[in-house]
Amino acid sequence: IRDLSQFENEQFDIVVCYGAPLSYILEDREKVILEFARVLSKNGSLFVSVNNKWGILKMLLGNKHPGFFSNPEYWYIDQVIRTGDLPKHEKVDQPARHFFEAEELNNLLIKNRFDKIVLGGSPCFSCGNLQAVEELAKDEKAFNTILQIEIETYKKATMVDNGEFLLAKGIKNYF
């Protein structure tokens, strides 16, 4: 996603960047977003997902990860809270990455030629409660209730930072 030079200007009506690859771009995020804008047609739609800072922490709390919260220096919890950045870690089989907040992602898109932005959290209501959801899923009515609450909450401004992933849709604008 750092180099879209193989594509012409305004070649696509939609760009989809899911799976949180933007979270692994620690430098030049604005250039990446501008490249998305460059390859999008007038009024084209951008769909992105990123790792969500508060939702990830909420998920880890729900998973009751042994030793995680009792060893914040080792796990860089303070750094993640302060900057959103998690350096490469010996116990994590992933490269360094950035955890976004909703306001940060929204501002990144606005600053780089997108408007009409819609944010969402996924999973939002149920994040950090996988075992409870799996247990309740045995009861179809209970599971449908959870799904309904998820649908009602995932785009609420007060809830989007609760999801493990932060989702965004933006429309390319011309200033």
Side-chain angles (χ1 to χ4, degrees):
I1 62 175
R2 289 180 196 264
D3 180 11
L4 302 179
S5 61
Q6 65 190 9
F7 303 112
E8 296 177 21
N9 293 350
E10 301 188 354
Q11 185 172 347
F12 301 105
D13 293 328
I14 297 172
V15 169
V16 178
C17 182
Y18 266 40
L22 193 57
S23 291
Y24 297 92
I25 305 294
L26 299 180
E27 298 173 3
D28 301 327
R29 273 193 289 269
E30 291 188 17
K31 286 183 182 179
V32 170
I33 299 298
L34 285 171
E35 270 294 276
F36 292 157
R38 182 188 66 77
V39 300
L40 274 170
S41 61
K42 183 177 180 180
N43 297 316
S45 296
L46 172 65
F47 297 90
V48 298
S49 72
V50 295
N51 293 128
N52 188 327
K53 180 190 336 185
W54 304 113
I56 291 285
L57 289 170
K58 182 180 167 196
M59 181 201 63
L60 288 165
L61 177 64
N63 291 348
K64 301 173 189 158
H65 189 287
F68 183 79
F69 289 101
S70 63
N71 200 352
E73 297 84 15
Y74 178 75
W75 290 104
Y76 303 108
I77 294 172
D78 293 337
Q79 182 175 338
V80 169
I81 289 170
R82 205 174 44 259
T83 68
D85 293 336
L86 175 65
K88 174 69 178 131
H89 196 285
E90 64 184 342
K91 298 276 186 178
V92 178
D93 189 26
Q94 293 188 23
R97 62 186 151 159
H98 181 75
F99 298 97
F100 286 80
E101 291 186 41
E103 182 179 13
E104 175 188 14
L105 181 59
N106 189 63
N107 291 341
L108 178 65
L109 295 174
I110 289 170
K111 183 177 179 183
N112 293 288
R113 302 187 59 194
F114 290 90
D115 60 15
K116 299 179 185 167
I117 297 163
V118 177
L119 298 174
S122 176
C124 185
F125 168 73
S126 60
C127 181
N129 294 293
L130 180 60
Q131 288 179 335
V133 171
E134 287 177 344
E135 184 64 30
L136 289 167
K138 296 172 186 173
D139 176 335
E140 185 176 349
K141 189 169 185 175
F143 187 66
N144 287 335
T145 301
I146 293 167
L147 289 177
Q148 182 60 39
I149 295 170
E150 197 69 54
I151 290 167
E152 293 293 326
T153 59
Y154 87 101
K155 291 193 296 185
K156 289 185 74 60
T158 56
M159 294 293 291
V160 295
D161 272 319
N162 282 290
E164 180 181 352
F165 294 94
L166 183 57
L167 314 173
K169 174 190 174 193
I171 305 296
K172 177 182 172 179
N173 68 32
Y174 284 85
F175 349 124

